[in-house]
Amino acid sequence: MAQLRLGYPEIQKSGAEVLQVTHNTTVEAQRYFKHYPIAFPYLCDPDRAVHEAYGLAMEPASVKSVVASFAAATGDLLQHGEKTALPLPFMMRYGYKDSPQAVVFVDRDGVIGHIVQAAPNVELPSNAEILRRLAGLR
C-alpha cells in the first residue's frame, strides 16, 4: 500500500480513487496506521462481506504467506520498537486461509473495468501500470 500512497496524487488526477479494503478489525487497522499512514480511504471488512461481494474468496494459506506475515510483524518490532498485529488473530478468525490482494479499476461511472488479484504479501502492479490501465477505462 505504500506504493499506492506514493502514486495517490497521480491516481486522483486521473479521475480515480483508491480504496483499501482489508480483513482487519478497526483496532488492528489503527496499529497499522501508526507506522504506515495512508492518504486514501480504508475500509475494515473483518466479516469479509465486501471481499465476497467482489469475488475475493479465501484460499488455503501457504507456508510462504504465513512466514512472510510473521517476518513483517517481526520487522516492525525491530524497526519501530512496537509490536504490530501478528497474523494470529487473522488465522483465528479465518482458519488457515488467506485472502488475495486486489486492485479494482473503476471508471468514472462506478463500473468495474478490471480487477487485478495478487497473492497475499506479493507486490501489486506498479503505479505506472495502474495509471496505464486507468487511462484505458476512460
Side-chain angles (χ1 to χ4, degrees):
M1 288 301 135
Q3 161 199 327
L4 290 175
R5 178 177 48 86
L6 294 173
Y8 186 54
E10 287 181 75
I11 292 169
Q12 281 189 307
K13 285 178 190 172
S14 77
E17 183 57 79
V18 174
L19 169 64
Q20 182 174 355
V21 181
T22 180
H23 56 261
N24 291 331
T25 64
T26 54
V27 170
E28 292 164 343
Q30 287 169 348
R31 281 192 211 139
Y32 177 83
F33 290 140
K34 281 184 179 180
H35 304 297
Y36 305 103
I38 58 174
F40 44 83
Y42 188 96
L43 175 68
C44 294
D45 184 33
D47 64 357
R48 298 198 36 79
V50 174
H51 284 82
E52 290 174 15
Y54 279 89
L56 300 171
M58 298 291 282
E59 302 168 356
S62 68
V63 171
K64 181 180 177 182
S65 176
V66 172
V67 169
S69 294
F70 275 99
T74 301
D76 286 345
L77 175 63
L78 295 174
Q79 291 176 349
H80 303 293
E82 184 176 321
K83 192 175 192 178
T84 57
L86 291 171
L88 291 176
F90 175 82
M91 288 182 200
M92 298 293 282
R93 271 197 303 277
Y94 306 116
Y96 288 91
K97 293 187 174 184
D98 219 337
S99 178
Q101 298 183 76
V103 176
V104 179
F105 298 93
V106 181
D107 69 16
R108 294 176 192 271
D109 296 322
V111 176
I112 295 173
H114 187 62
I115 298 177
V116 174
Q117 290 189 40
N121 301 310
V122 172
E123 195 170 304
L124 294 171
S126 70
N127 288 336
E129 175 63 14
I130 289 171
L131 289 167
R132 187 186 68 74
R133 292 182 189 186
L134 289 171
L137 293 177
R138 292 188 191 122

